[in-house]
């Protein structure tokens, strides 16, 4: 070992305590010491507050330092590129407008008002044929409030709007003819054929300057609050503009005559004779005579507030509905006018009362013998006016907002109901049953908002097998299935059977509502939670129901029902495992429960599949708030109050917990990315991203407003969050990446979001950074959000000309008596043959078909073909040829040389037979029936019938008397053309051909 040489070494001498000098003492003061004061309670609290402020300052400093460290760490990592803003498309129609649909004169189409647009529907199929231009073109810039057909031209439509304009449209070509601007919001319009160049409108009275509060209301709120805040002025407006040759976009009317002032009008109409103008507003009915409009209105008082108006189509009286459910007939139009104008009078009326709530709409039938009324009860009432009797069409599906009578002369009279869930229902006047219902998504914003609570979740799921959405329906106890690709409502599922009574008096009844719905990744199973809160007279109930998808019927079938899966407590979360085991996890009641599939065999060997409880566990009596499976299904994350617990999915063993001090109360947890390395935690305004491998917090972000929901991207390490705003009209959307707390995208949505899920679009966004989402708004609308959203929206359809001649032609009197002829022109049934709504006939259902009364059954011509096709099987050509070849040998020996009647084909092409020839063949047939004498026709194309004398019949006698039809020659017609004229074969004793008539 080498020696170490020490240079200039000085020995170390340690210092003892006595050798350390003391600090100098302070100088003595000559002044006496100050008196010691006792600390008051205020000073003590101040000191405590100072201590708290110091502690909070230290915490803030630590958070700032941690934030700086996170920012430094994020700056070192590669930053992803920012995303493009998301676009959205609405799948639902706003049904806030209570104006009834308008039928065209022939009844083949009807118009519906959807905010600033007019949609033209086909009466037979309900599809949107065309739309009139919207705000982007020459259309209205605000909500359309009313519309009527023009009295001058049945192919023109007159619309009014809150933007103060009257627009006249040619709806066949879809073009705007001219616009008249009144510069006042318009609520109603009416006209009459005797007053062709004028219309009557109800405009909102202009407010005085300074009366406005400066807060501009949105369009929907303005129309909703108009009834309580505004008064109206009734004007007679000429449709002729002042200067039509100016070329301006809008003109002023050449003549405007004020009639009178009213409250906010609930209805405006002209009597059948055209001599009276009627308006209903508040508790009064206003009547003015056309010949003396300057005299103003005569007021007739109603005991309750009036809600709707309808005039009789033939006589001069009208009907109203009020807020108490009373339908009242007013006979005041022929009374003498009072000497003093604008006075209140009493009128002779008659009452019809059945409705328990307000009557929303009344309408007369075309002959005036019946009155229709509907309201919140979802029941159409048909009143027979001369007797007072009534009939009902119950359970139409949703509260009735308006009733319209189809005045088509080509078909039977039908009643069109506009329902609150934005659907249209047709009722046959003959059977008083629903004939067809047209709807997209059945959601009623008013009813759903009244039933929805702030704490309850809104069910929403995506079914991958059928590419459909599972949404809440118009009633909270049901779900509906909607296909965005075809824009059609597929089915409706009643999860909890319940009575559809809305309320008793003014108190809303508590219904059973579906709170949660999830679908397994395979699409084979669906789980729902329906719950009804208890009260003093009813015990609360909650059910977990698991449904199986039947591929044959394409419908959900109930498989298992579990009563009170977590007692009477709410189920806070529910999700299926992405693994092959198809496990289901539910949380609530301080427990986490998993469910599995159980297979059993009965005595016959049939396998029955059901669901049963697999395990139940908890953590320190903490309430689980949310749960999430890892992408491979190996881990289960459970969100508790201040931390996240991760369990093994098979053994339920606790791996570890992640404490999130930044989120004192966690509300949601999700795995981020397809590897499952990161989890995102939401709690109030806090967002935390954690790394479960390093068991650490990656970054934390605090927002000004609380978070609503979080949706991860299934293929990328990004996710979407929705922030709650002070108002429900807007929300803020942000897209984050796990590498940075700085959002990749931030944009404001013009609507609030209740629930949001990932919407997989096939063959478009696989493994890409683009997003595709579907959500339910606060107004219970359904929207698609994402990049490059391409959904066929009926509101965005280009305006196109309507095709004429699509209506089904009216049948003749002969067809009504004897039915449609066998040899019918193909073009006659061109429309009806394009729509085939019949289902395959089952022979087992044959007996029950004829149990109904004869007057309720469909015509036999519609039953014959499907009934016969259900019994007879179609024989293929190959089988027929084989049977024909095998039967030739047996038949050849029996063949004789006797002459045989050659039968002509049973069916003849209509192009080869004229209508006159068909009618000529029926002349001898009807003469034999009626016994008329046979007189020869002198027409060149008519057959001459000759009757041969009869002889007694015997075994060896001649054939029976027959009618011989000969043709009178026509010198102007060639012999070839005469030879081609068909003739009626005579009756013989031999086998008749298929053309013989008797």
């Amino acid at each position: 070992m080498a020696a170490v040489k020490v240079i200039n070494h000085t020995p170390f001498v340690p210092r003892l305590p006595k050798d350390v000098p003391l600090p100098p003492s302070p100088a003595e003061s000559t002044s006496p010491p100050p008196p010691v004061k006792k600390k008051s309670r205020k000073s003590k609290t101040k000191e405590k507050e100072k201590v708290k402020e110091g502690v909070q300052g230290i915490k803030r400093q630590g958070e700032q330092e941690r934030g700086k460290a996170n920012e430094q760490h994020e700056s070192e990592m590669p930053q992803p590129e920012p995303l493009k803003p998301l676009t959205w498309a609405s799948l639902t129609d706003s049904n806030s407008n209570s104006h009834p649909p308008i039928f065209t004169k022939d009844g083949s189409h009807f118009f519906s008002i959807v905010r600033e647009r007019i949609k033209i529907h086909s009466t037979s199929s309900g599809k949107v044929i065309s739309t009139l231009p919207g705000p982007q073109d020459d259309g209205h810039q605000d909500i359309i409030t009313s519309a009527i057909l023009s009295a001058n031209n049945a192919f023109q439509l007159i619309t009014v709007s809150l933007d103060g304009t009257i627009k006249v449209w040619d709806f066949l070509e879809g073009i705007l003819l001219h616009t008249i601007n009144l510069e006042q919001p318009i609520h109603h319009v009416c006209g009459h054929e005797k007053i062709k160049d004028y219309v009557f409108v109800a405009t909102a009275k202009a407010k005085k300057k300074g009366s406005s509060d400066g807060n501009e209301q949105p369009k929907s709120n303005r129309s909703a609050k108009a009834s309580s805040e505004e008064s109206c002025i009734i004007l007679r407006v000429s449709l002729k503009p002042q200067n039509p040759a100016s070329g301006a976009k809008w003109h002023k009317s050449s003549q405007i005559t004020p009639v009178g002032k009213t409250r906010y009008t609930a209805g405006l109409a002209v009597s059948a004779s055209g001599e009276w103008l009627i308006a209903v507003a508040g508790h009064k009915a206003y009547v003015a005579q056309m010949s003396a409009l300057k005299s103003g209105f005569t007021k007739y008082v109603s005991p309750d507030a009036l809600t709707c108006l309808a005039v009789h189509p033939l006589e001069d009286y009208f009907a109203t509905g009020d807020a108490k459910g009373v339908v009242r007939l007013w006979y005041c139009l022929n009374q003498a006018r009072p000497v003093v104008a604008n006075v209140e009078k009493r009128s002779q009326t008659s009452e019809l009362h059945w409705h328990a709530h307000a009557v929303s709409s009344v309408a007369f039938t075309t002959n005036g013998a019946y009155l229709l009324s509907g309201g919140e009860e979802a029941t159409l009432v048909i009143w027979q006016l001369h007797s007072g009797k009534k009939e009902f069409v119950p359970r139409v599906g949703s509260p009735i907002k308006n009733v319209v009578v189809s005045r088509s002369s080509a078909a039977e009279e039908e009643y069109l109901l506009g329902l609150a869930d934005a659907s249209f229902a047709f009722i046959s006047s003959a059977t008083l049953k629903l004939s067809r219902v047209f709807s997209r998504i059945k959601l009623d914003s008013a009813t759903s908002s009244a039933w929805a609570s702030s704490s309850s979740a809104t069910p929403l799921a995506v079914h991958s097998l059928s590419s459909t959405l599972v949404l809440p329906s118009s009633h909270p106890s049901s779900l509906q299935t909607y296909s965005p690709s075809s824009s059609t409502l597929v089915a409706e599922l009643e999860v909890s059977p319940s009575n559809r009574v809305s309320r008793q008096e003014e108190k809303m009844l508590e219904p059973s509502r579906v709170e949660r719905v999830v679908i397994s990744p395979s699409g084979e199973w669906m789980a729902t939670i329906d719950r009804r809160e208890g009260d003093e007279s009813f015990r609360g109930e909650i059910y977990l129901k698991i449904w199986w998808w039947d591929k044959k019927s394409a419908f959900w079938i109930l498989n298992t029902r579990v009563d009170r899966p977590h007692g009477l407590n709410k189920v806070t979360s529910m999700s299926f495992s992405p693994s092959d085991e198809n496990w289901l996890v539910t949380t609530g009641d301080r427990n986490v429960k998993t469910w599995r599939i159980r297979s059993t065999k009965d005595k016959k060997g049939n396998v029955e599949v059901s669901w049963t409880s697999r395990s139940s566990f908890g953590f320190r009596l903490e309430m689980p708030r949310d749960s999430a499976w890892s992408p491979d299904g190996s881990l289960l994350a459970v969100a508790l109050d201040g931390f996240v617990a991760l369990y093994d999915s098979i053994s339920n063993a606790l791996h570890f917990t992640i404490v999130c001090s930044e989120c004192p109360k966690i509300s949601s947890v999700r795995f981020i990315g397809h590897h499952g390395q990161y989890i995102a935690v939401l709690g109030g305004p806090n967002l935390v991203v954690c790394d479960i491998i390093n068991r650490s917090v990656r970054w934390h972000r605090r927002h000004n407003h609380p978070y609503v929901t979080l949706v991860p991207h299934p293929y990328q390490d990004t996710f979407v969050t929705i922030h709650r705003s002070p108002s429900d009209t807007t929300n803020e959307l942000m897209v984050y990446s796990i590498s940075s707390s700085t959002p990749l995208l931030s944009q404001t949505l013009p609507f609030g979001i209740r629930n949001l899920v990932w919407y997989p679009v096939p063959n478009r966004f696989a493994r890409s950074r683009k997003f595709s989402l579907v959500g339910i708004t606060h107004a219970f609308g359904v929207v698609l959000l994402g990049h490059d959203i391409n959904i066929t929206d009926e509101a965005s359809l280009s305006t196109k000309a309507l095709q004429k001649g699509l209506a089904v032609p009216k049948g003749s009197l002969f067809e009504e008596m004897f039915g449609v002829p066998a040899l019918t022109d193909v073009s006659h049934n061109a429309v009806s043959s394009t729509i085939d709504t019949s289902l395959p006939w089952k022979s087992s259902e044959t007996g029950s078909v004829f149990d109904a009364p004869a007057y309720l059954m469909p015509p036999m011509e519609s039953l014959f073909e499907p009934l016969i096709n259900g019994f007879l099987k179609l024989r293929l050509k190959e089988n027929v040829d084989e049977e024909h070849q095998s039967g030739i040998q047996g038949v050849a020996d029996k063949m004789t040389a006797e002459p045989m009647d050659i039968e002509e084909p049973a069916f003849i092409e209509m192009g080869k037979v004229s209508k006159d020839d068909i009618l000529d063949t029926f002349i001898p047939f009807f003469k034999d029936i009626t016994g008329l004498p046979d007189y020869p026709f002198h027409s060149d194309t008519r057959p001459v019938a000759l009757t041969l004398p009869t002889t007694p019949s015997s075994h060896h006698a001649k054939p029976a008397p027959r009618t011989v039809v000969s043709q009178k020659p026509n010198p102007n017609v060639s012999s070839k053309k005469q030879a081609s004229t068909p003739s009626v074969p005579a009756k013989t004793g031999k086998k008749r051909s298929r053309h013989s008539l008797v």
Side-chain angles (χ1 to χ4, degrees):
M1 185 175 181
V4 178
K5 183 179 180 179
V6 179
I7 302 174
N8 297 330
H9 173 67
T10 302
F12 173 73
V13 180
R15 299 176 66 183
L16 299 176
K18 62 181 181 178
D19 298 331
V20 178
L22 296 174
S25 58
E28 295 182 1
S29 175
T30 57
S31 61
V36 179
K37 296 181 180 180
K38 294 183 179 180
K39 296 181 178 180
S40 62
R41 292 183 179 178
K42 294 183 178 179
S43 62
K44 290 182 180 179
T45 54
K46 290 181 180 180
E47 290 180 358
K48 289 182 180 179
E49 291 177 357
K50 290 181 179 179
V51 173
K52 289 182 179 179
E53 290 178 359
V55 174
Q56 292 178 358
I58 295 172
K59 288 184 178 180
R60 291 194 205 99
Q61 184 178 0
E63 291 179 357
Q64 291 177 0
E65 293 177 356
R66 189 182 305 171
K68 292 180 180 179
N70 290 338
E71 290 177 0
Q72 183 178 1
H73 177 70
E74 293 170 2
S75 62
E76 296 175 357
M77 297 185 63
Q79 299 295 328
E81 297 179 0
L83 294 174
K84 295 180 180 180
L86 274 66
T87 58
W88 59 84
S90 178
L91 300 180
T92 53
D93 290 336
S94 175
N95 201 33
S96 59
N97 194 292
S98 59
H99 191 275
I102 306 103
F103 278 97
T104 56
K105 189 173 182 180
D106 59 352
S108 60
H109 300 83
F110 66 91
F111 306 90
S112 66
I113 300 176
V114 182
R115 297 189 65 84
E116 301 92 356
R117 293 180 178 271
I118 295 287
K119 292 187 176 182
I120 306 176
H121 302 257
S122 171
T123 304
S124 58
S125 64
K127 295 182 178 180
V128 177
I129 305 301
S130 179
T131 58
L132 297 184
Q136 293 79 9
D137 302 318
D138 298 331
H140 290 282
Q141 302 299 320
D142 209 332
I143 296 175
I144 299 175
T145 54
S146 183
I148 59 171
L149 288 178
S150 174
N152 296 334
N153 191 340
F155 300 105
Q156 293 180 2
L157 185 71
I158 302 174
T159 60
V160 297
S161 170
L162 293 180
D163 61 4
T165 60
I166 304 174
K167 292 183 180 292
V168 181
W169 305 86
D170 182 356
F171 60 81
L172 287 180
E173 301 295 336
I175 58 176
L176 177 65
L177 300 180
H178 61 270
T179 302
I180 295 177
N181 193 354
L182 299 182
E183 298 180 352
Q184 295 180 22
I186 308 174
H187 296 292
H188 287 89
V189 63
C190 68
H192 196 270
E193 57 184 5
K194 291 185 178 180
I195 316 170
K196 293 184 177 181
D197 296 330
Y198 293 88
V199 293
F200 292 89
V201 296
T203 62
K205 184 180 179 181
K207 293 183 179 180
K208 296 181 181 180
K209 295 183 179 180
S211 62
S212 177
D213 54 359
N215 297 327
E216 184 179 357
Q217 298 290 338
K219 297 178 181 179
S220 59
N221 294 343
R222 276 183 285 165
S223 59
K225 294 183 179 181
S227 60
S228 60
E229 296 180 355
E230 294 181 350
S231 59
C232 292
I233 298 178
I234 309 301
L235 304 175
R236 188 184 70 169
V237 181
S238 174
L239 295 178
K240 295 181 179 180
Q242 282 185 354
N243 188 8
S246 62
K249 290 186 177 181
W250 57 268
H251 308 273
K252 287 191 175 183
S253 175
S254 59
Q255 183 181 1
I256 299 178
T257 304
V259 180
K261 177 184 175 183
T262 67
R263 298 290 297 272
Y264 176 79
T265 53
L268 184 68
V270 180
S271 64
S273 62
E275 298 178 358
W276 303 92
L277 174 66
I278 306 108
V280 292
H283 289 72
K284 299 174 184 178
Y286 300 80
V287 177
Q289 194 170 7
M290 291 293 184
S291 58
L293 290 178
K294 294 183 179 180
S295 301
F297 286 110
T298 303
K299 306 174 185 178
Y300 296 93
V301 182
S302 169
D304 298 299
L306 301 177
T307 57
C308 52
L309 168 69
V311 294
H312 196 276
L314 303 177
E315 303 177 14
D316 280 346
Y317 69 91
F318 60 94
T320 61
D322 61 22
K324 295 296 183 181
V326 178
V327 178
R328 187 172 284 104
L329 303 177
W330 300 74
Y331 305 97
C332 58
L333 298 184
N334 295 324
Q335 296 182 1
R337 292 186 54 81
V339 179
V340 182
N342 295 326
V343 298
E344 297 182 0
K345 294 182 61 178
R346 296 284 179 178
S347 171
Q348 179 185 0
T349 61
S350 59
E351 295 183 357
L352 304 171
H353 192 192
W354 176 86
H355 297 275
H357 309 298
V359 181
S360 59
S361 181
V362 291
F364 286 94
T365 56
T366 53
N367 58 4
Y370 295 89
L371 178 67
L372 314 177
S373 62
E376 188 180 328
E377 303 85 4
T379 299
L380 178 66
V381 185
I382 300 103
W383 304 89
Q384 192 175 22
L385 296 179
H386 75 279
S387 64
K389 297 182 180 180
K390 53 185 176 295
E391 294 185 87
F392 305 96
V393 182
R395 296 180 293 275
V396 296
S398 185
I400 300 173
K401 296 193 70 174
N402 42 68
V403 183
V404 187
V405 178
S406 173
R407 292 172 171 82
S408 173
S409 59
E412 66 175 1
E413 190 175 77
E414 289 185 313
Y415 311 141
L416 174 59
L417 307 182
L419 305 182
D421 58 2
S423 59
F424 297 101
F426 279 87
I427 295 178
S428 172
S429 60
T431 61
L432 295 184
K433 291 184 178 181
L434 287 172
S435 58
R436 55 194 183 277
V437 178
F438 306 134
S439 60
R440 292 183 63 187
I441 296 181
K442 292 184 176 182
L443 276 180
D444 178 13
S445 58
T447 307
S448 302
S449 301
W451 276 328
S453 60
S454 59
S455 58
S456 62
T458 304
L460 176 63
V462 178
H463 188 217
S464 58
L465 293 183
S466 59
S467 299
T468 56
L469 302 177
V470 179
L471 307 164
S473 187
S474 56
H475 196 272
S477 63
S478 300
L479 296 175
Q480 58 182 327
T481 305
Y482 179 78
S483 174
S485 59
S486 60
S487 299
T488 55
L489 182 65
V490 179
E492 190 171 6
L493 177 65
E494 190 175 22
V495 177
S496 177
S498 58
N499 191 2
R500 299 301 175 93
V501 177
S502 58
R503 57 193 172 96
Q504 183 178 3
E505 300 298 335
E506 298 298 329
K507 183 180 179 182
M508 295 290 296
L509 297 179
E510 181 64 27
S512 177
R513 60 166 56 90
V514 182
E515 293 188 343
R516 297 185 182 273
V517 56
V518 292
I519 298 177
S520 63
S522 62
E524 189 178 0
W525 300 97
M526 179 178 70
T528 60
I529 295 290
D530 58 283
R531 176 171 172 266
R532 178 178 179 181
E533 295 182 358
D535 52 16
E536 298 176 355
S537 58
F538 185 81
R539 293 184 61 184
E541 56 185 15
I542 180 171
Y543 299 105
L544 166 64
K545 297 177 181 178
I546 303 177
W547 309 76
W548 174 71
W549 175 254
D550 187 6
K551 296 182 180 179
K552 294 183 179 179
S553 61
F555 199 73
W556 293 103
I557 299 175
L558 181 61
N559 180 270
T560 305
R561 193 189 80 173
V562 180
D563 299 354
R564 301 181 181 182
H566 291 270
L568 289 177
N569 298 312
K570 293 182 63 176
V571 176
T572 57
S573 70
M574 179 174 60
S575 60
F576 277 98
S577 170
S579 59
D580 298 335
E581 285 81 3
N582 276 334
W583 291 336
L584 176 68
V585 62
T586 57
T587 59
D589 189 26
R590 304 181 187 274
N591 290 319
V592 179
K593 293 185 178 181
T594 58
W595 312 83
R596 65 176 179 86
I597 297 177
R598 178 182 60 183
S599 301
T600 57
K601 290 186 178 181
D602 56 6
K603 296 180 180 179
K604 297 181 180 180
N606 300 324
V607 179
E608 296 181 357
V609 178
S610 61
W611 286 73
T612 184
S613 177
R614 175 178 173 267
S615 62
S616 178
F617 57 92
F619 185 84
R620 299 179 185 176
L621 299 179
E622 294 282 345
M623 175 63 72
R625 306 292 180 183
D626 195 13
S627 62
W629 297 91
S630 61
D632 59 354
S634 61
L635 293 178
L636 176 63
V638 180
L640 305 169
D641 282 339
F643 49 90
V644 178
L646 280 88
Y647 294 89
D648 184 84
S649 60
I650 299 177
S651 61
N652 294 338
L654 177 64
H655 284 295
F656 56 89
T657 60
I658 299 177
V659 179
C660 299
S661 58
E662 296 82 1
C663 291
K665 192 173 183 180
I666 301 175
S667 61
S668 179
V669 60
R670 291 291 183 272
F671 280 88
I672 305 300
H674 62 283
H675 296 295
Q677 181 181 353
Y678 305 96
I679 59 173
V681 179
L682 293 182
N686 299 294
L687 169 62
V688 179
V689 175
C690 304
D691 189 339
I692 63 176
I693 295 180
N694 298 328
R695 303 184 185 182
S696 61
V697 175
R698 190 172 184 86
W699 53 264
H700 164 246
R701 182 181 178 88
R702 183 181 179 86
H703 200 267
N704 297 330
H705 303 292
Y707 288 87
V708 177
T709 184
L710 181 148
V711 180
H713 197 291
Y715 308 115
Q716 303 294 328
D717 295 337
T718 55
F719 56 93
V720 169
T721 60
I722 301 293
H723 303 280
R724 185 174 301 163
S725 60
S727 62
D728 293 339
T729 57
T730 60
N731 272 168
E732 188 176 0
L733 181 143
M734 289 189 177
V735 179
Y736 294 94
S737 174
I738 60 172
S739 60
S740 174
S741 61
T742 303
L744 303 177
L745 174 65
S746 177
Q747 67 179 111
T748 302
L749 303 176
F751 42 79
I753 294 292
R754 291 181 176 269
N755 197 358
L756 191 70
V757 296
W758 181 265
Y759 176 66
V761 180
N763 301 327
R764 188 186 297 179
F765 299 135
R767 308 292 178 179
S768 68
R769 298 176 64 236
K770 297 182 179 180
F771 279 84
S772 177
L773 308 167
V774 61
I776 298 179
T777 65
H778 280 283
F780 284 90
V782 183
V783 293
L784 287 179
L785 298 95
H787 299 95
D788 303 331
I789 293 296
N790 186 15
I791 295 296
T792 303
D793 187 10
E794 293 179 350
S796 62
L797 291 176
S798 59
T799 304
K800 57 183 180 180
L802 299 183
Q803 298 179 6
K804 301 180 182 179
L806 292 181
V808 179
K810 182 179 179 181
S812 61
L813 181 61
F814 181 85
E815 294 177 354
E816 293 181 1
M817 297 175 59
F818 300 99
V820 181
L823 299 177
T824 308
D825 192 0
V826 179
S827 61
H828 183 77
N829 296 330
V831 176
S832 59
S833 61
T834 58
I835 304 171
D836 185 13
T837 58
S838 61
L839 297 176
W841 193 279
K842 297 179 180 179
S843 58
S844 58
E845 302 174 353
T846 306
S848 60
V849 170
F850 301 98
D851 294 340
Y855 61 89
L856 292 179
M857 291 183 61
M860 186 57 64
E861 60 184 7
S862 63
L863 285 177
F864 179 79
E865 185 174 354
L867 180 63
I868 295 300
N869 292 337
F871 289 103
L872 301 180
K873 295 182 179 180
L874 182 63
R875 300 194 335 183
L876 300 178
K877 184 178 179 181
E878 292 78 4
N879 299 335
V880 175
D881 294 341
E882 292 178 359
E883 294 177 1
H884 179 70
Q885 293 295 336
S886 60
I888 288 178
Q889 299 297 333
V891 178
D893 298 335
K894 301 179 181 180
M895 294 180 62
T896 61
E898 297 180 0
M900 298 179 61
D901 292 339
I902 301 175
E903 298 185 359
E904 298 182 4
F907 301 98
I908 304 175
E909 297 182 8
M910 289 302 304
K912 298 181 179 180
V913 182
S914 64
K915 294 183 179 180
D916 294 336
D917 296 336
I918 297 176
L919 294 177
D920 292 341
T921 58
F922 284 94
I923 292 176
F925 171 69
F926 283 107
K927 285 186 176 182
D928 290 345
I929 295 177
T930 57
L932 295 176
D934 297 325
Y935 297 102
F937 289 93
H938 298 286
S939 175
D940 295 336
T941 58
R942 298 283 182 176
V944 179
L946 302 176
T947 305
L948 299 180
T950 59
T951 55
S953 60
S954 62
H955 183 69
H956 300 285
K958 296 182 180 179
R962 58 181 180 175
T963 302
V964 180
V965 181
S966 62
Q967 205 61 311
K968 183 179 179 180
N970 186 358
N972 299 327
V973 182
S974 61
S975 59
K976 294 183 179 180
K977 192 169 184 179
Q978 292 180 8
S980 62
T981 305
S983 60
V984 179
K987 298 180 183 179
T988 61
K990 298 181 181 180
K991 183 180 178 181
R992 294 176 298 174
S993 66
R994 296 193 182 184
H995 283 284
S996 60
L997 300 176
V998 180

